[in-house]
Amino acid sequence: MAFQALIVFTFACLCICCDGFLKGNRKFIEIDTSSNDVQEGKGKPVFQEQWITQKLDHFNGADSRVWNQKFVLTETYYRAGGPVFLMIGGEGPINSGWIAMNPRSAWLTYAKKLGALCLMVEHRFYGDSRPMADLSTENLRFLSSQQALADLAHFRTVIAKQRGLTNSKWVAFGGSYPGALAAWSRLKYPHLIHAAVASSAPLHATVNFSEYLEVVWRALAAENPECPLLVKKAFDTLQERIKDPNNYDNITKDFNLCSKLQIQSEKDRAYILDALAENIMNTVQYNNDNIEFESALDTNCTIKTVCGVMSDASLGDPYYRFAAFVRLRTRTYLLKPCFKDLTYNANLQDLRNTSYSGPHGGGGRQWTYQTCTEFGYFQTTDSPNQPFGGFGLQYHVEQCQDNFNISAKTLYAGIDQTNENYGSYNIRATRIVFPNGSIDPWHALGITSSISDDLPAIFIKGTAHCANMYPARAEDLPQLTLAREHIFQLLQKWLKEK
């Protein structure tokens, strides 16, 4: 599943492999791949960075334009005759942490046991995989999940032929949006992809993803039943105070904003409310995930932290406790001197920047485009069963018009087409496993009950976004450890099947 593109629509583990449409800036962190770790005792690179030629438009035979797609390969665990594991990149640059040996993420643990060759491929228009010179709306028409899946099919065909792996069994892995791609690659190309592990995969596209904040409420309540009630009281007070310009100086001070609060429109008001709510939304989404190896910040900021601060009466009424949490997270966990707040129009100008080196060129503009054309996933406050308010559906829908001139009619039609194309919750395929965490808000759009023996769900109580993908650690919940083992057993079984 929330990285800040449009304050942005949450999706995924820094899901380059997991991240997820994550709401939150973690999604667009770029990790340096130049170090190229060395295998223990062998003195050889753990991974090799390579490129493959792809068609710009797989669905137009008259268009002969091509571009170069980045991928990373490691043969560290490969044994002759072993399977091929394909980790699918998502809405950001591919992250070398996922293919590094120490600490070893879950798919590499499986690879070591099963003798797999491991490949990680970057998604078109993200990272260094740039099909066009810039990110203009005209160019972004070549950015879609269907084109990305066709990239994967061509990648699999070419690499298999080059390396003599045509008869090998290929398994697709991914988390969050890439998790959905993993499932859909098995659905659309069953002759190429033998099985898939689709972690925290949002298979159902929806414009109004109001369920996201409902899960946030339940996650907070599981820690302390009073916690979401206190957050709601705090946010109700904030919404009331933000109506009066005379309160702007105090709000600026209370939340340690980097500049004086400016609200000149309803969209400005919705924007700052969304930005402040994101502090809790992101904390819940990644609660206790073992994400340090991604070089992510705020890894020790958890639901327990939120509810501890919100329960501290010495800080004042709930409004001041919420402000204290935002300051704590900003300074202590994100290591920022102040909370950066832009106006809606200022952020809009950043998102309209079409350069890959622009403020949102690392993934924010691209992912926003995909939400407006294929997925929606807008985390709104339209449900009464959640703690926030002030950023409803209309606010999100209008951003598609403002950014890309995409009308509400076009937006809804695109979401309907996505569900029609992939099947939504009614996906029909074989050999796909769907791990999800009960705390992860994205599980509301995923498969949490087994469809069949060949389409099993693993619902992991008490875990968050893509938790099963990260390196194991001693403090993992027993059910998380069991989930990883269950996935391994399924892989063993499926790799024996023809």
Side-chain angles (χ1 to χ4, degrees):
M1 270 142 48
F3 315 25
Q4 271 197 23
L6 280 194
I7 258 248
V8 134
F9 316 122
T10 312
F11 198 26
C13 313
L14 172 68
C15 259
I16 317 304
C17 300
C18 175
D19 194 32
F21 336 155
L22 305 155
K23 193 149 187 165
N25 46 20
R26 181 174 299 135
K27 177 168 66 179
F28 302 126
I29 297 172
E30 181 169 3
I31 306 301
D32 178 22
T33 61
S34 62
S35 60
N36 210 352
D37 303 323
V38 173
Q39 296 181 27
E40 292 182 358
K42 294 187 178 181
K44 297 179 181 179
V46 164
F47 57 84
Q48 306 164 36
E49 185 178 293
Q50 299 184 22
W51 301 83
I52 186 173
T53 301
Q54 292 279 8
K55 288 192 65 176
L56 175 63
D57 187 351
H58 292 280
F59 308 109
N60 181 3
D63 191 336
S64 60
R65 289 175 291 178
V66 296
W67 59 283
N68 292 322
Q69 183 177 35
K70 181 178 177 180
F71 70 97
V72 177
L73 172 150
T74 180
E75 299 176 288
T76 302
Y77 302 127
Y78 182 63
R79 297 192 296 270
V84 180
F85 286 181
L86 177 61
M87 178 64 79
I88 301 171
E91 63 277 27
I94 53 175
N95 184 326
S96 64
W98 287 97
I99 207 162
M101 298 299 110
N102 188 22
R104 187 184 299 120
S105 51
W107 78 302
L108 293 181
T109 299
Y110 305 145
K112 183 177 182 180
K113 293 178 180 179
L114 297 169
L117 176 71
C118 294
L119 299 158
M120 182 166 64
V121 62
E122 197 164 62
H123 195 295
R124 59 166 55 203
F125 282 97
Y126 294 97
D128 296 320
S129 298
R130 303 174 178 182
M132 304 294 279
D134 62 30
L135 300 169
S136 68
T137 303
E138 173 67 16
N139 287 342
L140 289 178
R141 65 194 173 95
F142 297 107
L143 170 60
S144 71
S145 59
Q146 293 185 62
Q147 293 283 4
L149 290 170
D151 288 339
L152 293 173
H154 182 66
F155 176 86
R156 188 264 191 235
T157 301
V158 171
I159 297 300
K161 184 176 181 180
Q162 287 180 349
R163 292 182 164 266
L165 300 168
T166 302
N167 295 322
S168 298
K169 293 172 180 174
W170 287 60
V171 181
F173 290 81
S176 201
Y177 167 51
L181 291 176
W184 296 335
S185 69
R186 170 65 184 151
L187 171 71
K188 293 294 185 178
Y189 300 99
H191 58 297
L192 299 177
I193 303 298
H194 183 76
V197 180
S199 301
S200 297
L203 297 186
H204 177 66
T206 181
V207 176
N208 192 347
F209 186 18
S210 58
E211 297 88 347
Y212 183 99
L213 292 179
E214 293 179 347
V215 179
V216 170
W217 177 288
R218 295 195 296 271
L220 295 173
E223 175 66 27
N224 179 346
E226 291 296 313
C227 187
L229 297 173
L230 292 168
V231 173
K232 179 171 173 50
K233 287 181 181 178
F235 218 79
D236 287 347
T237 301
L238 173 60
Q239 282 187 269
E240 194 60 36
R241 292 186 181 183
I242 212 168
K243 293 177 182 178
D244 185 353
N246 292 322
N247 291 326
Y248 290 178
D249 284 342
N250 286 335
I251 293 173
T252 300
K253 180 180 178 182
D254 293 339
F255 290 93
N256 191 31
L257 305 183
C258 294
S259 58
K260 182 178 177 179
L261 180 64
Q262 299 180 55
I263 295 180
Q264 300 172 340
S265 67
E266 284 302 313
K267 288 181 181 177
D268 282 344
R269 181 176 288 107
Y271 182 88
I272 189 63
L273 291 171
D274 191 0
L276 291 171
E278 245 185 46
N279 285 277
I280 290 179
M281 295 161 69
N282 286 344
T283 299
V284 170
Q285 179 167 309
Y286 296 100
N287 183 67
N288 279 326
D289 274 352
N290 186 18
I291 53 180
E292 287 90 345
F293 83 105
E294 285 186 318
S295 299
L297 301 175
D298 78 320
T299 56
N300 294 318
C301 187
T302 64
I303 292 173
K304 189 177 292 293
T305 310
V306 174
C307 294
V309 174
M310 293 306 301
S311 301
D312 188 350
S314 70
L315 297 172
D317 67 32
Y319 165 84
Y320 290 107
R321 300 176 205 177
F322 176 54
F325 171 74
V326 173
R327 295 195 306 270
L328 174 69
R329 182 172 183 265
T330 302
R331 290 172 174 168
T332 306
Y333 297 109
L334 296 180
L335 306 179
K336 303 291 185 182
C338 54
F339 186 84
K340 184 177 182 181
D341 62 307
L342 299 173
T343 64
Y344 177 84
N345 282 334
N347 189 57
L348 182 62
Q349 291 306 309
D350 283 350
L351 277 165
R352 284 176 172 172
N353 188 317
T354 61
S355 171
Y356 285 101
S357 60
H360 291 296
R365 176 172 169 80
Q366 300 93 305
W367 180 246
T368 301
Y369 178 82
Q370 287 193 262
T371 61
C372 290
T373 55
E374 294 190 86
F375 303 122
Y377 296 145
F378 304 142
Q379 293 118 51
T380 74
T381 54
D382 289 358
S383 169
N385 304 314
Q386 53 82 32
F388 304 110
F391 43 103
L393 179 60
Q394 190 61 28
Y395 162 71
H396 290 286
V397 170
E398 289 179 1
Q399 292 180 61
C400 295
Q401 180 74 50
D402 294 344
N403 276 282
F404 307 106
N405 198 29
I406 293 173
S407 67
K409 181 180 180 180
T410 300
L411 166 65
Y412 278 91
I415 274 63
D416 288 344
Q417 185 179 33
T418 296
N419 289 327
E420 180 181 294
N421 190 32
Y422 300 126
S424 178
Y425 296 113
N426 297 312
I427 185 171
R428 289 296 178 263
T430 58
R431 293 197 292 266
I432 307 172
V433 59
F434 302 99
N436 277 284
S438 66
I439 288 176
D440 177 19
W442 289 98
H443 84 251
L445 300 182
I447 306 298
T448 56
S449 296
S450 296
I451 298 173
S452 66
D453 289 345
D454 261 346
L455 290 174
I458 302 176
F459 195 53
I460 316 167
K461 186 176 181 180
T463 64
H465 200 56
C466 301
N468 61 284
M469 296 181 70
Y470 293 108
R473 56 185 173 181
E475 58 267 37
D476 284 341
L477 293 172
Q479 55 268 34
L480 176 56
T481 301
L482 288 173
R484 291 194 182 107
E485 179 59 27
H486 188 180
I487 294 168
F488 174 66
Q489 291 173 358
L490 286 170
L491 291 174
Q492 279 187 307
K493 173 188 173 185
W494 289 342
L495 288 171
K496 292 177 183 177
E497 297 177 2
K498 293 183 179 180

